[in-house]
Every structure is written in structure tokens, then in C-alpha cells.
Amino acid sequence: MQSFMFSFENIYLLWGLLLLPLFLLVYLLARRRKERMKKKLGDPLLVKEMLGDYKASSFLKKFLLVFIALGLLITAVANLRMPIGSSTITRTGSEVMIALDVSKSMLAQDVKPDRLTRAKQFLSRLVDKLPNDQIGIVIFAGRAYLQMPLSGDHAATKMYISAASPNSIPTQGTVLADAINMSGASFASKEKKYKTIVLISDGEDHDENALKAAKKMADNGVVIHTVGIGSSAGAPIPDEITGSLKTDQEGNTVISKLNEGELAQIAQAGNGTYQLCNNPDRAAANIADAVNNMDKKNITDDSLINFQSFFQYFIGLALLLLIIELFVSETIKPKQRIVKPLLGLFFLFLSVNTFAQNDKAIIKEGNKSYESANYEEAANAYQKALDVNKESLTAQYNLGNALYKWGKKEEAIAAYDEVIKTEKNNAGLSNAYYNKGVVLQNDNKLEECIAAYKQALRLTPNDDDARQNLQKALKKKKEQDQKDKDKNKDEDKDKKDGGDKDKEKPKPQPSKLSQREAEDKLKALMQQEKNLQDKLHKTNSRSPETPEKDW
């Protein structure tokens, strides 16, 4: 059933109407001041003669026109709108956050065609079996990211699931605790019920805090169901870059095995169930039954509604009143002062069309381009969304990610800085600082990246990625400082040697070392050089962005 009720998109902006009484007070004070000035001039008949061209009624008319125009403009920015095409849907359901493992170990092929594809098949069937629930998506590897907030738009949910891959996350590894915490922070309601996390992984965790995170979620009324993907026998991991199999630091082929024990413990701690995904249909049915047997609440969903906005009519009427006010003069002969204000109003009216397109729809277009690796088009879309709504932190944050992928490092840093200026949530601020640090580190701006990582850790002290990257950046900075110090010493020595060029060169002295002593000294120097090279090789064997286990 369609609803044609009018509503305001930004109803809080209607508080601006409180400016109208203040404006009325200013008018009354101005009118009182005019009356006092007239009395000070002397005899009323003389004053009337002196002000023969003045019309007191025009002052009131001008005030009323501006007063009404101001009220219309405030109403316009609140955006009166009416739903079209569909209406708000109220249904009985719960909130479900999907936490999907996209680490490289999910590319193992012990289940066909591979673990990640099997997980997507399971999730597609699960979404179909939860038609009345709001669903959100968190993807994780060495770090967890909110891919899609809670929504009733299940078509978009499937799109995000199908696009998930190891390339979606720059930091590899498997950190289940981060995925659980991010999912818990993404729930919309504050009640200690109606909330479920469905964690899909092979359980090859490189973090020991997953069980603690699950117990904490259970204390907050969140039920955690886990789904295992893979086999206990395990399988090697294909390396997409080299085309060969993944190896560890010693050169041994990595065999990734399903850790059912840990996943079962997490489910038990989260008051949920564990399912082995041998059959996606059966596993989806079991998880859906568990979710559907939970307490439900009334969910109002307006994510699929298209609105017709009426702000342009309020702005147009306000502009008309302001134009009329320009023609109302307080003297009998109006002054010719209309050209410049009309031009300003004309350009203001032209700019109104900028706000006609909804910024959320533009962000969705940008997300599609980003998932297709068309980062230039994605950045342009996010910028367009910001032109519509300058306060959209989602568009600003996504713009930074797209610019970084596009290779525009300076612009990406500027975008993250804009998020940092306005973001109030600690988790969002920490992510902005962390991403800024990654860009700076890849640009070899060590001092700035160290400061960014430190700020991220102040906001989220448990962020292991920020701590590891900070340690690597500090180590690299120390090595760089030592090289600069050694270089300065060499330059000072060269300058000193250069200053002695005009002096008489001493005659070369014959070596006082015997041949045996010279050979021993040469061998010692060669061994020292070999030790130094081995040390440097060990130091540089890890990438500054790669954890010990990157699968």
C-alpha cells in the first residue's frame, strides 16, 4: 500500500525557524529607534514636512516580505518530500550482520570451485531465506571493513557479496576478532536482542582475541553463528600474482586447513551454532531457521523509497518575494538599485539544481565503479556526491580510498584529512588516520605516517595493524636517519679533503703490513661485509605492509 504522506528529509533544520522571532525583535527595535529619532528632530508638523517623501508603511511591507522569504528558505533546506513509486515498509524481523572472510586462504580449492565461491553460494541462499530481516556486510582479512550497513535492500546485499575478493582489502591475514567487533559496532539498535552475526571463514585465525570478542558480543545480546568453509585435510593456496602456490618464509608450500575447533568455540561463546558448509543449501536453511526462531521486532525500512522533493518551490517563492522587496521603496521615488541583486539571485537559482540528485544514489554508483576497479570514475562519483552533500562522511572517506587506488596520493591524503575534521566516531576517525598513514608510508613520508599511526592507536588502542605498521615505520625511519648521518659525515670529510688540495701532497709511504697480515685483514673485511648483507637481507625480507602470515 502506497503512502503519500509528506515528510522532511532534514527535519532538524527546522530549528532554524527560531531565527524568525529574533528577526521580528530586530524589526521592532529598528522601528522604535526610528520613532525616537523623529521625536528628537522637534515639532511633529515640521518633521512630517521634512520627511514628506518617506512612506512608513513601506518599511513594514519590506520587513514582511523578507520575514516570509527567510521562513521559506529555512523550510526549503529541510527538504519537504513525498514518497513515490513505493512506500515505507514495516515488517517483523531482526538485524543480521554477515562477516565474510576474504583472506587469501579462502582461495584454497579443497572445496570446489574454491572456498570463497562456496561461501558466496551459501550467502546468496541465506539472503533469500531472510526476506524480512535487515542485513549488513563486513569483509575481513588482516583488517575488517564495513562493506554495507544494515539495509532491507537485498539486491544490493547480493551485489556486494558477489564483488567481495582478497583484492578488496590491502592487509592480508585472518583476524576474526576484528570482524566480530566491527560487526557488533555496525548494529543500528541498542536493544540487547534481535541481533545476529553470521561469521563465514576457514577459521585459520592469526589472532587470539576472537573468543574474548565473541563472549563480549554475547554479553550485549548478540548471537554469533559460525560457518566453516574448507576441509580438515586442507589444501595449498594459489598465488594470484605469481601463478604458483603460496609459500612461507622458508620456502615451504603453505597448506591451509579448516579450523573447526575454533569456529565451534566462537559459536558456543556467542550462544549460536556452528555449521560445516558441505552443502550450501542445507547450511543456509539451518542458519536461517536459527535466525527465524529468535525474537523479532518491527523494522521500518525506507531504503528502497524514491522521493519527490519540493524544496525548489519554496526557494522559487522566496526569491520572488526578495525580488519584490527590492522594488518596494520607503520613498515615493524608488531608487534604481536592482541589477546586481537580481544577478546574484539568478546565479543562486541556477545552483539549486545541484541539490536535485540524492547523494546516496551517487555514492552507490561510485561503489559500483570502485568494485569494477574503475577508480577514476569512482572518485568522480564520490566528488559529485560531495557537491550535493558536503557533510557526507561516507562519500569523503570513499573518495580517499578511490584516489589512493587511482594513484592520487596527495589528493587521497587531503580527502582523509576532511574526514578527520568532521568525523566524531572514534572507529571512523581511527580508520581515516590508519588509511592516511598507509598512503604516507607508501609515499615514504615516514614522519607524517608515524604521526598518523600513533593517532589511530590513541583512538583504538587494540588496532594491531596500526601498531605493526607503526613499528615498521619507526624501524625504517631509524635506518634512514642512520644513513643520513653517515652521508653527512662523508660529505664533511670530502669538504675537509677538498680544502687541503692546495697543500703539498705527502709522498706515499710503503706499506708496513706483511703479505700475510694484508690477506688476513682483507678476509676479515669480507666477512664483516657478508654479515652486514645477511643482516640487511633479514631486515628487508618483509614488506612494510605485509604481516607475518599474509593468507
Side-chain angles (χ1 to χ4, degrees):
M1 179 178 178
Q2 293 189 348
S3 174
F4 295 97
M5 296 295 293
F6 289 96
S7 63
F8 287 97
E9 180 181 9
N10 307 308
I11 192 169
Y12 63 94
L13 293 178
L14 291 178
W15 284 102
L17 293 174
L18 294 177
L19 293 174
L20 296 179
L22 181 62
F23 191 55
L24 176 60
L25 178 62
V26 171
Y27 163 74
L28 294 175
L29 292 174
R31 184 170 178 176
R32 184 178 179 183
R33 184 172 179 273
K34 284 177 176 284
E35 294 297 328
R36 286 181 177 179
M37 291 295 293
K38 287 168 63 176
K39 289 181 180 180
K40 287 182 179 181
L41 289 176
D43 184 71
L45 294 176
L46 180 60
V47 172
K48 184 176 181 180
E49 183 68 23
M50 293 174 61
L51 301 176
D53 292 341
Y54 176 74
K55 294 190 297 183
S57 61
S58 296
F59 184 59
L60 176 60
K61 292 177 182 177
K62 290 172 70 69
F63 165 75
L64 290 176
L65 288 170
V66 176
F67 185 84
I68 297 172
L70 179 60
L72 290 171
L73 290 174
I74 294 173
T75 307
V77 296
N79 191 21
L80 182 67
R81 60 183 186 173
M82 180 182 71
I84 57 174
S86 60
S87 61
T88 301
I89 300 172
T90 301
R91 55 197 177 203
T92 302
S94 59
E95 298 176 359
V96 179
M97 287 301 304
I98 293 171
L100 175 60
D101 186 352
V102 294
S103 60
K104 291 181 180 178
S105 62
M106 292 292 284
L107 299 177
Q109 299 176 359
D110 47 355
V111 292
K112 299 301 179 182
D114 57 58
R115 295 177 183 176
L116 185 57
T117 303
R118 178 68 65 87
K120 291 179 180 180
Q121 293 171 351
F122 159 77
L123 288 175
S124 178
R125 290 161 175 75
L126 178 63
V127 171
D128 290 337
K129 295 178 183 297
L130 302 174
N132 296 324
D133 298 303
Q134 287 188 312
I135 300 176
I137 303 172
V138 167
I139 59 174
F140 68 95
R143 189 174 174 86
Y145 293 90
L146 177 63
Q147 187 78 345
M148 175 181 167
L150 286 167
S151 172
D153 188 353
H154 290 183
T157 303
K158 288 187 175 182
M159 181 192 74
Y160 279 109
I161 290 172
S162 64
S165 73
N167 296 327
S168 303
I169 295 183
T171 305
Q172 282 299 312
T174 307
V175 186
L176 298 178
D178 280 3
I180 295 172
N181 290 330
M182 178 63 73
S183 299
S186 302
F187 286 111
S189 62
K190 296 181 180 179
E191 300 99 328
K192 288 193 173 183
K193 53 184 177 179
Y194 315 124
K195 296 180 285 189
T196 305
I197 295 175
V198 180
L199 177 68
I200 305 96
S201 175
D202 52 23
E204 190 168 8
D205 191 8
H206 301 160
D207 182 13
E208 299 176 354
N209 297 318
L211 201 58
K212 296 179 181 178
K215 291 178 180 178
K216 183 178 178 181
M217 288 297 112
D219 293 338
N220 292 325
V222 179
V223 176
I224 302 177
H225 300 291
T226 58
V227 179
I229 305 290
S231 65
S232 57
I237 303 171
D239 193 322
E240 294 181 316
I241 299 176
T242 63
S244 58
L245 298 179
K246 186 72 178 175
T247 57
D248 58 20
Q249 295 178 1
E250 286 74 32
N252 300 318
T253 300
V254 174
I255 302 297
S256 174
K257 299 179 181 180
L258 170 63
N259 189 348
E260 289 191 275
E262 181 173 13
L263 292 174
Q265 288 178 358
I266 292 173
Q268 183 178 4
N271 297 326
T273 60
Y274 166 72
Q275 293 288 323
L276 175 62
C277 190
N278 284 332
N279 185 314
D281 288 312
R282 184 167 59 248
N286 292 337
I287 296 295
D289 288 342
V291 173
N292 290 329
N293 288 331
M294 294 176 58
D295 291 336
K296 303 294 181 180
K297 66 173 183 175
N298 290 330
I299 297 175
T300 301
D301 186 16
D302 60 358
S303 61
L304 300 178
I305 299 178
N306 293 319
F307 290 95
Q308 179 182 358
S309 296
F310 299 94
F311 67 91
Q312 60 271 24
Y313 301 110
F314 290 92
I315 292 178
L317 184 56
L319 292 177
L320 178 62
L321 294 177
L322 291 174
I323 293 172
I324 294 174
E325 186 271 339
L326 292 172
F327 286 101
V328 176
S329 175
E330 295 182 54
T331 60
I332 295 175
K333 296 180 180 179
K335 297 178 180 180
Q336 302 299 319
R337 51 187 177 87
I338 191 66
V339 176
K340 289 184 179 179
L342 275 179
L343 287 175
L345 294 174
F346 173 73
F347 286 115
L348 177 63
F349 183 76
L350 287 180
S351 65
V352 167
N353 290 330
T354 305
F355 298 94
Q357 190 171 7
N358 187 288
D359 61 301
K360 295 180 181 178
I362 304 174
I363 291 174
K364 285 185 178 181
E365 294 176 5
N367 291 343
K368 291 180 182 179
S369 299
Y370 188 93
E371 295 297 336
S372 303
N374 191 342
Y375 302 118
E376 180 178 1
E377 186 176 320
N380 291 334
Y382 297 138
Q383 185 59 61
K384 187 177 179 182
L386 285 171
D387 292 338
V388 174
N389 182 7
K390 294 181 180 179
E391 298 181 356
S392 175
L393 290 174
T394 302
Q396 192 70 57
Y397 187 84
N398 288 2
L399 175 61
N401 294 341
L403 288 170
Y404 171 57
K405 289 286 190 179
W406 187 15
K408 305 285 186 178
K409 296 180 182 178
E410 295 296 332
E411 291 88 340
I413 292 172
Y416 292 135
D417 284 337
E418 289 299 322
V419 176
I420 291 169
K421 288 179 184 177
T422 53
E423 176 64 84
K424 304 299 182 184
N425 180 269
N426 281 356
L429 266 177
S430 178
N431 286 339
Y433 275 114
Y434 178 85
N435 283 10
K436 180 181 177 181
V438 171
V439 178
L440 290 167
Q441 189 169 2
N442 287 334
D443 205 19
N444 206 31
K445 296 181 178 179
L446 297 179
E447 290 187 3
E448 296 176 54
C449 92
I450 288 170
Y453 287 142
K454 285 182 178 179
Q455 191 60 39
L457 282 171
R458 290 189 188 102
L459 294 165
T460 53
N462 296 326
D463 191 338
D464 290 334
D465 285 334
R467 183 176 293 104
Q468 291 175 7
N469 282 2
L470 174 60
Q471 291 172 353
K472 294 171 185 176
L474 288 170
K475 184 176 181 181
K476 188 173 181 180
K477 179 68 168 56
K478 184 177 180 181
E479 293 173 354
Q480 191 178 78
D481 291 343
Q482 185 61 43
K483 289 180 181 179
D484 292 341
K485 185 177 180 181
D486 294 341
K487 183 179 179 181
N488 291 335
K489 286 183 179 179
D490 293 339
E491 289 177 353
D492 292 341
K493 183 178 179 182
D494 291 341
K495 289 180 181 178
K496 184 177 180 181
D497 293 342
D500 296 336
K501 283 184 178 179
D502 295 334
K503 297 181 180 180
E504 182 180 354
K505 296 181 180 179
K507 295 181 180 180
Q509 298 293 325
S511 175
K512 296 181 180 180
L513 294 175
S514 65
Q515 182 177 356
R516 176 66 177 273
E517 290 173 334
E519 290 177 354
D520 291 341
K521 191 172 185 64
L522 178 61
K523 288 181 180 178
L525 289 172
M526 292 178 64
Q527 183 62 40
Q528 185 178 358
E529 175 68 17
K530 182 177 182 300
N531 293 339
L532 178 61
Q533 293 295 333
D534 290 343
K535 183 177 180 181
L536 290 174
H537 178 72
K538 291 179 180 179
T539 302
N540 297 325
S541 61
R542 299 179 185 175
S543 167
E545 297 299 327
T546 306
E548 182 178 356
K549 295 182 179 181
D550 64 343
W551 61 86

